[in-house]
Amino acid sequence: MAYINVRGVEHYYEWMKQPSDVVKPVMVFIHGWAGSSRYWRSTAEALLDNFDCLLYDMRGFGRSHGKPTINQAAESVVESQSTQEKAAAIAELSYELTEYVEDLAVLLNELNLNRVYINAHSMGASVATLFFNRYPERVEKGILTCSGIFEYDEKAFAAFYKFGGMVVKFRPKWLGKIPLADRMFMARFLHSPIPKSERQAFLQDFIDADYDAAIGTIFTSVSKEQAELMPHEFANLTVPTLLVAGEYDIIIPAEMGRHAASLNDKVEFALIPNTAHFPMLEDPKTYLEKVREFLNN
């Protein structure tokens, strides 16, 4: 297991590569809310003939830490500052998606990666969209899986926050040991079945997610501010982008993705039939066909 210090926080990352005599471009994978890079492994493995693949867990999720220590904070800010000043700067890290954008930028810097391809999912796709517009010179092409534009609804958002808060609060460690818990937990995310190991891994990631990160990103990724911001972000994209939607996705309905793609001719839209929120796992063959077609154009 490999860890790297990003802005004072230990982040888990891993390389997936095949031996080759040529230097391959790098594709970075970004997971969604309460998940981890584990569910990207099968997609990355399928692309190793053309890419070196970098997987990492975002701050507070998967195997990445949620908070820095004083020593970690001290190492991540300029040396001229006092330890107290350094710790204070890191302590100000919030769960705004723009902070996760900066996490990614620092991660790429630390690994000496100047220009990459990015494939991001769900909340991670929102982070990626923001990254594309803030660091367009660092992205060759982008793939947004299950992303889109939603409208603000005060009552619906309030209900979502209340439900989300209860779900995050009630995550006993024994939940993953209950028979069929993984199937029940993943039911609303799926239309077609995925391997049991993938269901179990996602449930475990949800159970293990840092409380503050899980709660914090609920409020920052689904918010009035985000609803108002994202149409402009999609309209301003200059990075060639593929937006992939699952036909029966109830988390981010396909129509939200279609709307987002319609705002910019740099964004291609692809619908994967008979899938929901994990098209890359529910129908990997069709998903990879769409991705390869986009990458080869």
Side-chain angles (χ1 to χ4, degrees):
M1 296 179 69
Y3 283 85
I4 190 167
N5 189 294
V6 175
R7 304 171 79 202
V9 179
E10 292 297 304
H11 280 61
Y12 172 84
Y13 75 101
E14 63 177 289
W15 281 105
M16 294 181 64
K17 301 180 180 181
Q18 281 183 349
S20 175
D21 294 330
V22 300
V23 177
K24 296 178 183 178
V26 171
M27 181 172 288
V28 180
F29 291 82
I30 310 175
H31 63 82
W33 181 81
S36 80
S37 58
R38 288 192 287 193
Y39 67 71
W40 274 125
R41 287 186 60 85
S42 58
T43 305
E45 187 173 10
L47 295 170
L48 291 180
D49 52 343
N50 293 311
F51 293 91
D52 290 337
C53 295
L54 174 66
L55 286 69
Y56 80 102
D57 294 345
M58 289 194 289
R59 174 165 44 94
F61 298 107
R63 291 144 290 187
S64 289
H65 297 187
K67 302 173 181 66
T69 65
I70 295 298
N71 289 338
Q72 289 169 338
E75 294 172 359
S76 65
V77 189
V78 294
E79 295 181 359
S80 61
Q81 291 179 295
S82 69
T83 299
Q84 186 176 4
E85 289 173 326
K86 295 168 182 175
I90 297 301
E92 291 177 0
L93 286 178
S94 73
Y95 301 106
E96 294 290 340
L97 298 192
T98 50
E99 293 284 5
Y100 283 96
V101 169
E102 297 310 313
D103 288 348
L104 175 56
V106 172
L107 175 71
L108 297 182
N109 289 343
E110 292 294 324
L111 295 174
N112 297 312
L113 299 172
N114 294 320
R115 193 168 175 87
V116 298
Y117 292 75
I118 291 178
N119 190 349
H121 175 242
S122 195
M123 185 189 87
S126 295
V127 172
T129 303
L130 298 173
F131 186 88
F132 294 172
N133 280 335
R134 283 150 184 77
Y135 298 96
E137 73 283 356
R138 307 196 68 168
V139 187
E140 190 69 37
K141 285 187 175 183
I143 303 162
L144 305 176
T145 302
C146 299
S147 184
I149 291 172
F150 53 85
E151 294 183 0
Y152 176 68
D153 182 317
E154 185 176 2
K155 290 184 178 179
F157 278 36
F160 173 77
Y161 296 149
K162 184 177 181 180
F163 175 75
M166 290 189 296
V167 167
V168 172
K169 190 172 183 179
F170 181 73
R171 293 179 297 158
K173 295 298 183 182
W174 47 259
L175 183 61
K177 298 179 181 179
I178 297 177
L180 303 180
D182 59 296
R183 189 181 296 274
M184 291 185 289
F185 178 76
M186 292 298 291
R188 69 191 304 266
F189 296 102
L190 304 173
H191 180 77
S192 296
I194 65 174
K196 182 178 181 179
S197 60
E198 298 281 9
R199 299 196 309 266
Q200 291 176 326
F202 191 86
L203 175 57
Q204 194 59 52
D205 285 335
F206 168 72
I207 293 170
D208 294 340
D210 177 79
Y211 177 83
D212 290 337
I215 285 289
T217 50
I218 282 179
F219 285 93
T220 58
S221 61
V222 182
S223 65
K224 181 180 180 181
E225 291 75 18
Q226 200 71 4
E228 294 172 347
L229 173 67
M230 292 310 290
H232 299 287
E233 295 290 337
F234 276 102
N236 291 332
L237 284 173
T238 59
V239 172
T241 301
L242 173 67
L243 198 158
V244 182
E247 180 183 15
Y248 295 105
D249 191 351
I250 62 173
I251 308 300
I252 304 177
E255 201 52 44
M256 291 184 179
R258 195 186 304 275
H259 179 203
S262 71
L263 299 177
N264 193 319
D265 59 10
K266 286 283 187 179
V267 183
E268 298 179 26
F269 179 78
L271 183 70
I272 310 294
N274 299 314
T275 66
H277 199 57
F278 285 86
M280 64 288 213
L281 300 177
E282 297 173 78
D283 186 357
K285 181 176 182 293
T286 303
Y287 179 84
L288 288 165
E289 286 174 356
K290 298 290 187 182
V291 167
R292 289 193 176 104
E293 181 181 352
F294 167 72
L295 293 173
N296 292 331
N297 285 342

